Amino acid sequence: MLFHVEMTVHLPNDMPEDMAAEIKATEKAYSQKLQEEGTWRHLWRVAGSYSNVSIFDVEDNEALHRILGGLPLFPYMEIQVRPLCRHPSSVRDDDR
């Protein structure tokens, strides 16, 4: 199943810089692993904000929930999830 996920990060202003840097580095490694596996299919930054728009390709809602809950930045995120399905007017034969 494909999901459109918007994530906005709200780190506390008083979070020490070294702690923020460590969380971000761990998050980057985690997200890149999922991208290489094909689970996190697309990742775009939203210009002018600390947020992204992503497309996930997972088995079901529970799988997506586990992935999002495993994000090191998850406790500091506002997340919106939208399930996707093929549009009948699409000229593509697959979801790639």
Side-chain angles (χ1 to χ4, degrees):
M1 294 180 69
L2 295 178
F3 291 90
H4 171 275
V5 180
E6 293 182 43
M7 296 176 256
T8 302
V9 179
H10 302 284
L11 291 177
N13 292 332
D14 61 348
M15 178 180 280
E17 285 186 38
D18 59 335
M19 182 179 177
E22 182 178 334
I23 292 171
K24 291 175 190 179
T26 305
E27 177 95 3
K28 182 177 181 177
Y30 180 70
S31 70
Q32 289 180 339
K33 177 180 179 282
L34 291 169
Q35 289 173 71
E36 290 168 0
E37 293 173 353
T39 301
W40 196 323
R41 193 171 293 178
H42 299 282
L43 173 60
W44 295 279
R45 176 173 294 201
V46 176
S49 66
Y50 192 1
S51 59
N52 72 70
V53 173
S54 297
I55 303 295
F56 286 86
D57 187 359
V58 295
E59 186 174 325
D60 55 25
N61 296 335
E62 183 62 32
L64 180 64
H65 183 75
R66 281 192 308 272
I67 288 168
L68 296 177
L71 292 167
L73 287 169
F74 179 79
Y76 311 104
M77 287 183 171
E78 177 183 331
I79 300 175
Q80 294 181 331
V81 176
R82 294 179 185 95
L84 300 174
C85 60
R86 175 156 308 287
H87 193 284
S89 297
S90 176
V91 298
R92 307 268 183 253
D93 291 333
D94 61 18
D95 295 322
R96 297 188 198 283

